Amino acid sequence: MSKVDKKGRFGIHGGQYIPETLMNAVHELEEAYEHYKNDPEFQKELETLFNEYANRPSLLYYAKKMTEDLGGAKIYLKREDLNHTGAHKVNNVLGQALLAKKMGKTRLIAETGAGQHGVATATAAALMGMECVVFMGEEDTKRQALNVYRMKLLGASVVPVKTGTATLKDAVSEAMREWTTRVSDTHYCLGSVMGPHPFPTIVRDFQAVISKEIKQQMLEKEGRLPDVVMACVGGGSNAIGSFYHFIEDKDVQLIGCEAAGRGIDTFETAATVNTGKLGIFHGMKSYFCQDEYGQIAPVYSISAGLDYPGVGPEHAHLHDIGRASYVPVTDDEAVDAFEYLSRTEGIIPAIESSHAIAYAMKLAPTMDKDKIIVVTVSGRGDKDCAAIARYRGENIYE
Amino acid sequence: MSKIKEAFQNGKAFIPFITCGDPDVETTYRAVLAAAQNGADLIELGIPFSDPTAEGPVIQGANIRALAGGITTDKVFELVRKIRKEVTIPLVFMTYANVVFSYGSDRFIKTCSEIGIDGLIVPDVPFEEKEEFEPFCEQYDVDLISMVAPTSENRVSMIAKEAKGFIYIVSSLGVTGVRSSFSNDLSEVVKKIREVTDVPCAIGFGISNPETASKMAKVADGVIVGSAVIRILEEKGTDAPASIGAFVKEMKEACQK
């Protein structure tokens, strides 16, 4: 009988389904992380980067006008959009870049969908004096041209990925291929809570600062925990970051908002938990949008950042055990929420985050006024303005 | 005894890789027959996957063409049944974990056994995860092939000790594809393997011409060639089988030099 190490499992999900070529690389990463996560000096350095560079802690903002307008539960917004680089992605990237640097790596590679993770990685690379290469689906380089320019401005090179559907999943595949060819000096800075172990754990731990702060801020402001915490889910990093410190608080309802695209009854959707089935892909066992023969489905969402056919293994597990629920939100609903939050609170949310705002708009009016909802605004929406304008029929190009 | 061993009893083995359904199943059928008639000792049949993360551009292209042509796992099984009426050399499948898993691992591997598939190569299932498929492979007598890479280092013995059929040695870092430089320490890897097992070793990834094949055959028991075969299909489409036969003949001869 073989000695099989069932590492990195969340229930039945997770694991390390990767080519042999990468096994020693993930083991090396795992060992380094196990060491540094308990190293007070590493944690102190990271905290300094968070607070002095990334503008943490991020605000927990009481959305008074939105609350009054919807007439139900009290709504707080966790303002990850106010972080340096404009999204939650920076939390993970600073952690991984610091870890990579400690491991003696000189080069960061990353995949990106909307471009937020690519920009964040390019930023960290610039800060730490590392080389940076970002893989981005060619389709996404068109949807998010400004972010491509930002990455280049920050000194990174951007490789447009033309294979497959030329979106996020293909960028992940290409980054994995690149890592396979060059493991000695390169760290693959994965952007979400997905991929082979230890990535889902590492990324979650770096993003968990979100729920740690929410908890503290909520206790300061309200003297109690919220009733609901919700966030959008693509791979699921801002959601798991928002959920993590509440998982043991069983009275706090956790809701992930998936991109339903044109609807979960159509093929143009990216709502993995709602429409996918169990599979093995990109290093992990989890839920994936796929056909009856296991071919990965070409998913669709208006949001490049949620346009991914899988979901992180910890989310799959939280779904299995009923600890978190995952709801679909369509393009139309997300665009309405994008406009609603802009007008109501003067906050332009990322189209990804707008999926969570949209569900809050549905849920809040059904709840009593003494209930509290926290919605994570994972990023800011400047990058989406031209695309949403076009969605509304205006002829605006960046 | 594993039937795969037979492939290594005729001098150094030559193992071509062919993606099923590229560009159509009829061409695959004729290509496999041509390869078998011209000296292939074992044939690796690829079941296409939408996102083949371990493949370079050439085999990615074959996967795309085959899927566009409407290939499915069931159609591949039908094709193998037809091939098995003419071809007796060992045949193995090369595909990705999700193709096996989504079909039902038990049902997939049982079918492999019924139609005469002798082994299964799944590049995204390393030693630590082989439990996913190995119990079924043992039950139905299909060899789950182990891979060893230049970066395996301290893992080589662990992997080799439990290897079945043959050991697939990845020649160099990275994905499949035609290349000109190779990791120098392949003979070291083979030496480490030999210390713990007599399961045959075949070297693959990036071997495209008789010179390299000949060089690699001196190091191991066999040589695997994928992208160079697929290039012939890419260039000649349905006319490829005759050229593939000629290529296999040349490569098999080179392996014996």
Side-chain angles (χ1 to χ4, degrees):
Chain A
M1 218 22 230
S2 59
K3 246 186 21 201
V4 175
D5 190 354
K6 285 284 170 197
K7 271 182 303 192
R9 291 279 172 177
F10 302 93
I12 60 167
H13 304 280
Q16 291 180 312
Y17 298 88
I18 47 169
E20 171 60 25
T21 321
L22 286 177
M23 284 309 286
N24 270 329
V26 296
H27 285 163
E28 182 197 8
L29 178 62
E30 200 179 330
E31 275 167 34
Y33 183 62
E34 284 303 314
H35 172 74
Y36 287 111
K37 82 171 181 189
N38 299 314
D39 175 14
E41 201 170 309
F42 178 87
Q43 291 301 337
K44 197 167 163 254
E45 265 182 79
L46 183 60
E47 198 185 330
T48 305
L49 283 171
F50 275 0
N51 296 347
E52 307 295 323
Y53 186 72
N55 197 29
R56 300 212 71 87
S58 69
L59 296 176
L60 183 69
Y61 166 75
Y62 170 45
K64 188 161 178 277
K65 279 184 72 194
M66 186 180 174
T67 300
E68 284 168 1
D69 181 59
L70 295 171
K74 211 167 171 181
I75 297 168
Y76 280 89
L77 303 177
K78 180 59 174 166
R79 300 286 311 275
E80 292 298 302
D81 59 315
L82 296 178
N83 296 341
H84 178 46
T85 75
H88 70 290
K89 294 289 185 187
V90 75
N91 306 331
N92 165 45
V93 156
L94 288 175
Q96 285 200 51
L98 188 61
L99 182 62
K101 188 124 192 165
K102 301 268 181 200
M103 291 170 72
K105 307 284 178 183
T106 56
R107 184 169 174 263
L108 294 177
I109 58 169
E111 84 294 343
T112 196
Q116 298 300 89
H117 176 59
V119 168
T121 308
T123 301
L127 176 68
M128 299 197 192
M130 298 169 92
E131 194 188 330
C132 181
V133 179
V134 179
F135 295 86
M136 188 171 187
E138 193 177 40
E139 194 58 36
D140 293 335
T141 60
K142 290 176 197 155
R143 286 197 279 195
Q144 305 287 349
L146 201 53
N147 271 341
V148 174
Y149 179 74
R150 278 196 188 101
M151 289 183 263
K152 289 181 179 166
L153 185 65
L154 291 159
S157 46
V158 178
V159 180
V161 177
K162 295 175 182 151
T163 53
T165 50
T167 60
L168 180 54
K169 78 170 166 98
D170 309 289
V172 174
S173 296
E174 209 50 42
M176 282 172 84
R177 289 186 188 108
E178 169 71 13
W179 200 31
T180 310
T181 63
R182 202 167 156 183
V183 288
S184 58
D185 67 343
T186 300
H187 173 70
Y188 178 16
C189 187
L190 229 163
S192 193
V193 284
M194 44 156 294
H197 173 70
F199 284 108
T201 301
I202 292 182
V203 179
R204 177 204 64 202
D205 289 352
F206 291 141
Q207 291 295 358
V209 66
I210 302 174
S211 51
K212 192 177 152 199
E213 288 175 7
I214 294 174
K215 206 166 190 174
Q216 206 177 342
Q217 291 164 324
M218 189 50 62
L219 289 171
E220 278 164 19
K221 286 175 194 289
E222 295 279 350
R224 71 175 186 91
L225 297 183
D227 299 284
V228 178
V229 174
M230 62 171 75
C232 63
V233 176
S237 72
N238 94 85
I240 210 76
S242 303
F243 294 172
Y244 186 67
H245 288 283
F246 294 108
I247 291 175
E248 297 305 319
D249 301 311
K250 304 289 183 204
D251 293 333
V252 180
Q253 201 188 335
L254 306 174
I255 303 174
C257 304
E258 295 197 307
R262 300 210 160 89
I264 54 171
D265 49 353
T266 73
F267 287 107
E268 290 174 295
T269 180
T272 310
V273 177
N274 283 278
T275 66
K277 60 174 188 167
L278 191 62
I280 299 169
F281 182 49
H282 278 161
M284 59 185 173
K285 186 180 275 185
S286 187
Y287 295 109
F288 296 96
C289 297
Q290 54 184 304
D291 75 7
E292 58 169 317
Y293 289 106
Q295 306 295 341
I296 301 303
V299 290
Y300 163 81
S301 163
I302 189 172
S303 140
L306 303 180
D307 199 352
Y308 182 71
V311 67
E314 195 166 6
H315 284 295
H317 178 58
L318 292 175
H319 167 75
D320 284 358
I321 61 172
R323 180 62 193 94
S325 49
Y326 295 84
V327 297
V329 175
T330 64
D331 284 0
D332 282 344
E333 292 169 325
V335 170
D336 286 346
F338 178 86
E339 294 168 340
Y340 176 85
L341 196 70
S342 301
R343 278 198 308 268
T344 314
E345 294 288 350
I347 295 169
I348 303 173
I351 189 64
E352 289 78 17
S353 322
S354 301
H355 286 71
I357 300 293
Y359 194 69
M361 287 163 65
K362 274 191 201 172
L363 186 66
T366 70
M367 293 169 69
D368 291 337
K369 288 185 174 175
D370 61 347
K371 300 289 184 192
I372 299 170
I373 296 176
V374 175
V375 189
T376 298
V377 180
S378 56
R380 66 175 182 226
D382 311 48
K383 68 179 177 60
D384 299 306
C385 288
I388 302 297
R390 289 197 295 276
Y391 186 84
R392 289 301 194 206
E394 288 183 47
N395 198 16
I396 293 178
Y397 289 87
E398 283 162 347
Chain B
M1 188 186 91
S2 163
K3 193 183 172 216
I4 289 175
K5 276 197 179 160
E6 291 172 15
F8 295 87
Q9 285 165 354
N10 178 28
K12 301 287 179 164
F14 179 69
I15 305 173
F17 167 87
I18 296 169
T19 302
C20 293
D22 169 30
D24 53 48
V25 285
E26 177 57 28
T27 305
T28 307
Y29 174 75
R30 290 188 291 119
V32 169
L33 260 55
Q37 285 157 3
N38 285 283
D41 297 288
L42 185 157
I43 297 172
E44 219 186 278
L45 296 170
I47 306 181
F49 181 50
S50 52
D51 300 82
T53 48
E55 313 298 350
V58 175
I59 297 181
Q60 283 182 49
N63 280 271
I64 291 165
R65 288 193 297 275
L67 288 169
I71 194 76
T72 65
T73 307
D74 283 317
K75 286 181 187 170
V76 170
F77 288 154
E78 277 312 306
L79 169 66
V80 172
R81 283 192 178 95
K82 195 176 156 198
I83 289 170
R84 264 295 174 232
K85 288 178 184 157
E86 308 291 333
V87 171
T88 56
I89 58 168
L91 299 173
V92 303
F93 274 148
M94 198 316 282
T95 194
Y96 285 78
N98 206 44
V99 170
V100 180
F101 183 80
S102 73
Y103 198 83
S105 307
D106 187 331
R107 184 170 154 237
F108 183 98
I109 295 162
K110 185 169 182 247
T111 309
C112 287
S113 174
E114 285 167 3
I115 64 178
I117 288 292
D118 304 290
L120 181 59
I121 303 171
V122 193
D124 56 345
V125 173
F127 182 84
E128 279 78 354
E129 301 292 354
K130 67 179 182 163
E131 203 68 344
E132 193 70 52
F133 301 135
E134 191 160 65
F136 303 112
C137 285
E138 280 177 8
Q139 185 182 345
Y140 299 115
D141 204 18
V142 173
D143 291 329
L144 186 62
I145 307 301
S146 299
M147 298 180 100
V148 166
T151 50
S152 296
E153 295 169 5
N154 51 341
R155 299 167 51 80
V156 174
S157 306
M158 171 183 85
I159 295 167
K161 265 182 207 162
E162 297 185 14
K164 308 269 167 60
F166 73 93
I167 294 171
Y168 192 133
I169 303 177
V170 176
S171 63
S172 57
L173 282 183
V175 295
T176 56
V178 181
R179 53 174 72 79
S180 50
S181 69
F182 286 93
S183 179
N184 297 321
D185 40 31
L186 288 174
S187 49
E188 277 303 304
V189 173
V190 175
K191 208 175 127 198
K192 276 190 199 166
I193 292 171
R194 282 287 161 266
E195 284 168 11
V196 295
T197 182
D198 59 358
V199 168
C201 305
I203 300 179
F205 276 46
I207 302 169
S208 59
N209 55 52
E211 293 72 41
T212 325
S214 172
K215 207 170 131 199
M216 291 295 137
K218 287 186 176 63
V219 181
D221 307 304
V223 167
I224 304 164
V225 172
S227 297
V229 177
I230 300 302
R231 274 202 175 162
I232 299 174
L233 280 154
E234 190 181 70
E235 280 163 27
K236 307 204 165 169
T238 53
D239 294 330
S243 307
I244 288 175
F247 178 71
V248 168
K249 192 159 193 251
E250 192 188 6
M251 293 296 271
K252 174 66 184 173
E253 279 164 12
C255 289
Q256 311 314 315
K257 277 179 194 162

